[in-house]
Amino acid sequence: MEKITKEVYLKWYEDMLFWRKFEDKLAAVYIQQKVRGFLHLYNGQEAVLAGALHAMDLTKDRMITAYRNHVQPIGMGVDPKKVMAELYGKVTGTSKGMGGSMHIFSKEHRFHGGHGIVGGQIPLGAGMAFGDKYAGRDNVTICYMGDGAVRQGSLHETFNLAMLWQLPVVFVCENNGYAMGTSVARTSYSTEIWKLGLGYEMPCGPVDGMDPVVVAEEMHKAIERARSGGGPTFLEMKTYRYRGHSMSDAQHYRTKDEVEEYKKIDPITKVLDVIKDEDYATDAEIEAINKRVKKMVSECEKFAEESDYPPVQQLYDMVYEQEDFPFVPHKL
């Protein structure tokens, strides 16, 4: 694995802080009804993405996840301005404003979408890995899911075929403690989700999802196993979300004290502590990063605010064109 250096720590800090502040801004404009529909935020889970990106080859590896999917495409290289514009429903968004919060997508950057159906992305992730293996490519697919999605039967069907065909895929459960408002302990006899892989003899294990170093190390092993023909891996990233399941979540199922307790192991704070302890940056340099992040978020908001909404014609352009039904004109 590429060595975790001073530069990596500084990049992690800036990236994770930007992702956090980007979504904090989304929460603010959601309350103003500038972003509508559902909005599921990633606050607290940033180390899972930061560590994974360090282990991936972003020139060829793929990623697919559920509907908590705003910062992943940014990490994969998608312009954050386009991501915010998509949430605003603007024509400059990643899907011309037609996907919204739960359906960010970029074929160019190999981010294959957020998916609104719980667990719907699991067989799709394996399918992409199958396509890569069939075509003789050495790409690896990272397939994320939440702790609620592992209750879907499609997970077991997918695990079985992934092992049978030795697909180059890494399945990652982001266990943030609650499937919407229901804890793992209320839905499963065994609360060790990673053990689901044992039934298929799939390499599996728990990972500290609040530490990007640990995430990177475990993801590197899994990715290299997949790339070398060793088949899939199932990792349970034990993490936590500081906000509700979505913006409409009143969070009656947990106490404020519990949230504050988990904030003591905030991945951004942990990375910043290392930077300070190792003298990787001065206070002035850290403040410069903070100001740069704030400026970037403001630029994203300005871009989204000033972009146009899609024209009505686009509604017709986003469906299949049928030769024997010429009554709907298409322009795309």
Side-chain angles (χ1 to χ4, degrees), residues 102-272:
M102 298 201 290
H103 304 286
I104 310 297
F105 187 93
S106 174
K107 181 179 179 180
E108 177 188 358
H109 295 283
R110 292 162 297 283
F111 180 75
H112 298 274
H115 293 265
I117 301 300
V118 175
Q121 75 280 11
I122 301 172
L124 296 180
M128 292 192 298
F130 176 84
D132 282 332
K133 182 171 183 177
Y134 187 82
R137 298 183 288 259
D138 66 343
N139 308 349
V140 175
T141 297
I142 313 300
C143 180
Y144 287 102
M145 67 201 76
D147 47 281
V150 301
R151 310 297 165 218
Q152 297 292 332
S154 58
L155 174 131
H156 298 276
E157 297 165 347
T158 301
F159 276 17
N160 181 54
L161 290 178
M163 282 299 292
L164 182 64
W165 296 333
Q166 290 292 282
L167 300 181
V169 56
V170 180
F171 298 106
V172 178
C173 173
E174 294 182 283
N175 181 3
N176 58 29
Y178 298 97
M180 294 185 71
T182 306
S183 68
V184 174
R186 294 183 61 196
T187 61
S188 175
Y189 178 75
S190 173
T191 57
E192 297 295 316
I193 292 175
W194 62 271
K195 291 182 178 179
L196 291 173
L198 297 175
Y200 303 92
E201 298 184 15
M202 184 185 296
C204 54
V207 180
D208 179 1
M210 303 300 274
D211 187 336
V213 176
V214 177
V215 172
E217 290 171 346
E218 295 304 317
M219 287 295 291
H220 173 74
K221 295 174 189 175
I223 289 171
E224 288 308 298
R225 179 185 296 120
R227 205 182 309 281
S228 63
T233 302
F234 179 47
L235 299 176
E236 178 192 354
M237 301 285 176
K238 294 179 181 290
T239 183
Y240 196 80
R241 56 171 165 78
Y242 298 141
R243 291 184 178 270
H245 171 73
S246 70
M247 286 294 289
S248 59
D249 181 2
Q251 304 183 62
H252 295 311
Y253 49 85
R254 63 182 180 181
T255 65
K256 290 183 179 179
D257 288 342
E258 177 184 306
V259 178
E260 291 304 314
E261 194 64 28
Y262 274 97
K263 285 185 177 180
K264 293 178 182 178
I265 55 171
D266 189 319
I268 299 176
T269 302
K270 289 173 74 172
V271 166
L272 182 57

Side-chain angles (χ1 to χ4, degrees), residues 305-322:
E305 293 271 6
E306 295 179 353
S307 295
D308 293 327
Y309 285 105
V312 174
Q313 172 65 36
Q314 187 174 289
L315 288 171
Y316 306 110
D317 295 338
M318 292 298 184
V319 296
Y320 288 108
E321 186 167 9
Q322 189 173 327

